[in-house]
Amino acid sequence: MIVCKTRKELQEALTRCRQGKSVGLVPTMGALHDGHASLFARARAENDVFVASVFVNPIQFNNPDDLKNYPRQFEADRNLLEQNGCDIMFAPETEEMYPAGEPVRTYAFGPLENVMEGARRPGHFAGVGAVVGLLFQLIAPDRAYFGEKDFQQVAVIKELARQMDSGVEIVSCPIKRGDDGLALSSRNALLTPENRAKAPAIYATLKKSLAMAHRTCGEVKDWVKSQIAVFPEMELEYFEIADPDSLQPLDDTLPAAGNVGFIVVWMGKVRLIDNIRY
Ligand code: PAF
């Protein structure tokens, strides 16, 4: 595996490896785990060259504490990528990604970014769009892989690829869960052992809510809220049921097949996100 810290090293590595072959990109913020490994497996299997980026993108964090606490583990990430057959690891410093004086290209995603994560984390999707757009420009992958745990992010990135006319195929990969159902996330490592033991109740609640499809979305939302409220260590930030394409939240209709329930729960200082299909 070639490890590149600079754009120049990246271009050299791409020139050496690409030679007309297909390139698959998995953009990450590091702290890699089995959830990422499922994306790596697909990128490895479906492309000749597998590139992974590891970059904690400061401009997508609207909360400075969240950025400060985000886990960083370069050596472990490098080993995991190597074990997963990665050809090129791109791990730049912030100054390399955003050199002083180079304007950051931004994109607008309209209604997709005005709801849920976009509404609660102002500037988040502008930051995600900027960094992923830059990675698409620098790497020009044929395919890029993203996990459905961040369902709204996948929708935004599909829109980004459309706006950039990049020709990058966006591959959306199913959520990877622990044996107890908790969606795998870099943030899980920050949970206290007590909160980690309780956290699977989030997905258990989402699964139980599937049995309520004869009630309106508003009623299902109220029920989920009441279930999460039972846990004193959990604070529900939001639960919404939304259309999978427009992402606009629904209230008065029954959940239709394919609608998605989106949940965000705080446990201590850790923000956990998950979703389920109705
Ligand atoms: O999902 C993530 O890890 C990040 O939002 C991404 C796509 C790597 C952009 O920084």
PDB file of all heavy atoms in Angstrom, residues 126-142:
ATOM      1  N   ALA A 126     -22.527  21.380   3.744  1.00  0.00           N
ATOM      2  CA  ALA A 126     -21.662  22.217   2.905  1.00  0.00           C
ATOM      3  C   ALA A 126     -20.225  21.710   3.053  1.00  0.00           C
ATOM      4  O   ALA A 126     -19.484  21.579   2.069  1.00  0.00           O
ATOM      5  CB  ALA A 126     -21.771  23.679   3.323  1.00  0.00           C
ATOM      6  N   GLY A 127     -19.828  21.365   4.299  1.00  0.00           N
ATOM      7  CA  GLY A 127     -18.479  20.866   4.557  1.00  0.00           C
ATOM      8  C   GLY A 127     -18.250  19.500   3.943  1.00  0.00           C
ATOM      9  O   GLY A 127     -17.190  19.223   3.361  1.00  0.00           O
ATOM     10  N   VAL A 128     -19.263  18.620   4.067  1.00  0.00           N
ATOM     11  CA  VAL A 128     -19.146  17.270   3.470  1.00  0.00           C
ATOM     12  C   VAL A 128     -19.042  17.405   1.945  1.00  0.00           C
ATOM     13  O   VAL A 128     -18.184  16.781   1.303  1.00  0.00           O
ATOM     14  CB  VAL A 128     -20.366  16.393   3.853  1.00  0.00           C
ATOM     15  CG1 VAL A 128     -20.372  15.100   3.043  1.00  0.00           C
ATOM     16  CG2 VAL A 128     -20.370  16.077   5.349  1.00  0.00           C
ATOM     17  N   GLY A 129     -19.909  18.255   1.373  1.00  0.00           N
ATOM     18  CA  GLY A 129     -19.911  18.441  -0.084  1.00  0.00           C
ATOM     19  C   GLY A 129     -18.558  18.967  -0.559  1.00  0.00           C
ATOM     20  O   GLY A 129     -18.022  18.506  -1.576  1.00  0.00           O
ATOM     21  N   ALA A 130     -17.997  19.922   0.195  1.00  0.00           N
ATOM     22  CA  ALA A 130     -16.719  20.528  -0.204  1.00  0.00           C
ATOM     23  C   ALA A 130     -15.621  19.469  -0.214  1.00  0.00           C
ATOM     24  O   ALA A 130     -14.849  19.371  -1.176  1.00  0.00           O
ATOM     25  CB  ALA A 130     -16.368  21.677   0.733  1.00  0.00           C
ATOM     26  N   VAL A 131     -15.534  18.667   0.857  1.00  0.00           N
ATOM     27  CA  VAL A 131     -14.413  17.720   0.926  1.00  0.00           C
ATOM     28  C   VAL A 131     -14.586  16.564  -0.064  1.00  0.00           C
ATOM     29  O   VAL A 131     -13.626  16.143  -0.715  1.00  0.00           O
ATOM     30  CB  VAL A 131     -14.173  17.217   2.373  1.00  0.00           C
ATOM     31  CG1 VAL A 131     -15.179  16.167   2.800  1.00  0.00           C
ATOM     32  CG2 VAL A 131     -12.767  16.671   2.522  1.00  0.00           C
ATOM     33  N   VAL A 132     -15.815  16.069  -0.185  1.00  0.00           N
ATOM     34  CA  VAL A 132     -16.021  14.946  -1.117  1.00  0.00           C
ATOM     35  C   VAL A 132     -15.844  15.440  -2.556  1.00  0.00           C
ATOM     36  O   VAL A 132     -15.229  14.757  -3.390  1.00  0.00           O
ATOM     37  CB  VAL A 132     -17.396  14.278  -0.885  1.00  0.00           C
ATOM     38  CG1 VAL A 132     -17.661  13.205  -1.936  1.00  0.00           C
ATOM     39  CG2 VAL A 132     -17.458  13.655   0.520  1.00  0.00           C
ATOM     40  N   GLY A 133     -16.315  16.663  -2.846  1.00  0.00           N
ATOM     41  CA  GLY A 133     -16.122  17.241  -4.182  1.00  0.00           C
ATOM     42  C   GLY A 133     -14.634  17.354  -4.501  1.00  0.00           C
ATOM     43  O   GLY A 133     -14.194  17.027  -5.606  1.00  0.00           O
ATOM     44  N   LEU A 134     -13.861  17.788  -3.512  1.00  0.00           N
ATOM     45  CA  LEU A 134     -12.412  17.928  -3.706  1.00  0.00           C
ATOM     46  C   LEU A 134     -11.766  16.558  -3.937  1.00  0.00           C
ATOM     47  O   LEU A 134     -10.913  16.399  -4.820  1.00  0.00           O
ATOM     48  CB  LEU A 134     -11.834  18.608  -2.456  1.00  0.00           C
ATOM     49  CG  LEU A 134     -10.390  19.067  -2.461  1.00  0.00           C
ATOM     50  CD1 LEU A 134     -10.070  19.899  -3.692  1.00  0.00           C
ATOM     51  CD2 LEU A 134     -10.121  19.893  -1.188  1.00  0.00           C
ATOM     52  N   LEU A 135     -12.182  15.571  -3.156  1.00  0.00           N
ATOM     53  CA  LEU A 135     -11.630  14.212  -3.337  1.00  0.00           C
ATOM     54  C   LEU A 135     -11.981  13.672  -4.729  1.00  0.00           C
ATOM     55  O   LEU A 135     -11.143  13.045  -5.385  1.00  0.00           O
ATOM     56  CB  LEU A 135     -12.168  13.265  -2.256  1.00  0.00           C
ATOM     57  CG  LEU A 135     -11.615  13.504  -0.845  1.00  0.00           C
ATOM     58  CD1 LEU A 135     -12.437  12.738   0.197  1.00  0.00           C
ATOM     59  CD2 LEU A 135     -10.139  13.113  -0.755  1.00  0.00           C
ATOM     60  N   PHE A 136     -13.209  13.950  -5.189  1.00  0.00           N
ATOM     61  CA  PHE A 136     -13.592  13.494  -6.534  1.00  0.00           C
ATOM     62  C   PHE A 136     -12.698  14.167  -7.587  1.00  0.00           C
ATOM     63  O   PHE A 136     -12.291  13.540  -8.562  1.00  0.00           O
ATOM     64  CB  PHE A 136     -15.067  13.805  -6.817  1.00  0.00           C
ATOM     65  CG  PHE A 136     -16.041  12.892  -6.100  1.00  0.00           C
ATOM     66  CD1 PHE A 136     -17.419  13.060  -6.247  1.00  0.00           C
ATOM     67  CD2 PHE A 136     -15.598  11.857  -5.287  1.00  0.00           C
ATOM     68  CE1 PHE A 136     -18.323  12.229  -5.609  1.00  0.00           C
ATOM     69  CE2 PHE A 136     -16.495  11.020  -4.629  1.00  0.00           C
ATOM     70  CZ  PHE A 136     -17.872  11.218  -4.796  1.00  0.00           C
ATOM     71  N   GLN A 137     -12.401  15.468  -7.368  1.00  0.00           N
ATOM     72  CA  GLN A 137     -11.535  16.177  -8.338  1.00  0.00           C
ATOM     73  C   GLN A 137     -10.121  15.605  -8.321  1.00  0.00           C
ATOM     74  O   GLN A 137      -9.505  15.387  -9.353  1.00  0.00           O
ATOM     75  CB  GLN A 137     -11.435  17.651  -7.962  1.00  0.00           C
ATOM     76  CG  GLN A 137     -12.558  18.502  -8.513  1.00  0.00           C
ATOM     77  CD  GLN A 137     -12.470  19.917  -7.953  1.00  0.00           C
ATOM     78  OE1 GLN A 137     -11.429  20.375  -7.514  1.00  0.00           O
ATOM     79  NE2 GLN A 137     -13.585  20.601  -7.979  1.00  0.00           N
ATOM     80  N   LEU A 138      -9.587  15.365  -7.105  1.00  0.00           N
ATOM     81  CA  LEU A 138      -8.191  14.926  -6.989  1.00  0.00           C
ATOM     82  C   LEU A 138      -8.003  13.491  -7.464  1.00  0.00           C
ATOM     83  O   LEU A 138      -6.965  13.146  -8.018  1.00  0.00           O
ATOM     84  CB  LEU A 138      -7.718  15.028  -5.529  1.00  0.00           C
ATOM     85  CG  LEU A 138      -7.635  16.434  -4.911  1.00  0.00           C
ATOM     86  CD1 LEU A 138      -7.300  16.346  -3.431  1.00  0.00           C
ATOM     87  CD2 LEU A 138      -6.569  17.255  -5.646  1.00  0.00           C
ATOM     88  N   ILE A 139      -9.014  12.646  -7.216  1.00  0.00           N
ATOM     89  CA  ILE A 139      -8.830  11.199  -7.449  1.00  0.00           C
ATOM     90  C   ILE A 139      -9.552  10.726  -8.717  1.00  0.00           C
ATOM     91  O   ILE A 139      -9.122   9.758  -9.339  1.00  0.00           O
ATOM     92  CB  ILE A 139      -9.281  10.413  -6.187  1.00  0.00           C
ATOM     93  CG1 ILE A 139      -8.378  10.815  -5.013  1.00  0.00           C
ATOM     94  CG2 ILE A 139      -9.259   8.893  -6.400  1.00  0.00           C
ATOM     95  CD1 ILE A 139      -8.844  10.396  -3.645  1.00  0.00           C
ATOM     96  N   ALA A 140     -10.631  11.438  -9.084  1.00  0.00           N
ATOM     97  CA  ALA A 140     -11.447  11.034 -10.246  1.00  0.00           C
ATOM     98  C   ALA A 140     -11.750   9.531 -10.218  1.00  0.00           C
ATOM     99  O   ALA A 140     -11.397   8.793 -11.153  1.00  0.00           O
ATOM    100  CB  ALA A 140     -10.756  11.428 -11.553  1.00  0.00           C
ATOM    101  N   PRO A 141     -12.390   9.060  -9.137  1.00  0.00           N
ATOM    102  CA  PRO A 141     -12.676   7.617  -9.056  1.00  0.00           C
ATOM    103  C   PRO A 141     -13.795   7.231 -10.024  1.00  0.00           C
ATOM    104  O   PRO A 141     -14.579   8.081 -10.445  1.00  0.00           O
ATOM    105  CB  PRO A 141     -13.157   7.442  -7.612  1.00  0.00           C
ATOM    106  CG  PRO A 141     -13.764   8.762  -7.260  1.00  0.00           C
ATOM    107  CD  PRO A 141     -12.965   9.807  -8.014  1.00  0.00           C
ATOM    108  N   ASP A 142     -13.874   5.954 -10.347  1.00  0.00           N
ATOM    109  CA  ASP A 142     -15.021   5.467 -11.118  1.00  0.00           C
ATOM    110  C   ASP A 142     -16.215   5.245 -10.190  1.00  0.00           C
ATOM    111  O   ASP A 142     -17.356   5.465 -10.565  1.00  0.00           O
ATOM    112  CB  ASP A 142     -14.652   4.136 -11.804  1.00  0.00           C
ATOM    113  CG  ASP A 142     -13.543   4.352 -12.796  1.00  0.00           C
ATOM    114  OD1 ASP A 142     -13.841   4.745 -13.933  1.00  0.00           O
ATOM    115  OD2 ASP A 142     -12.367   4.183 -12.418  1.00  0.00           O
TER     116      ASP A 142
END
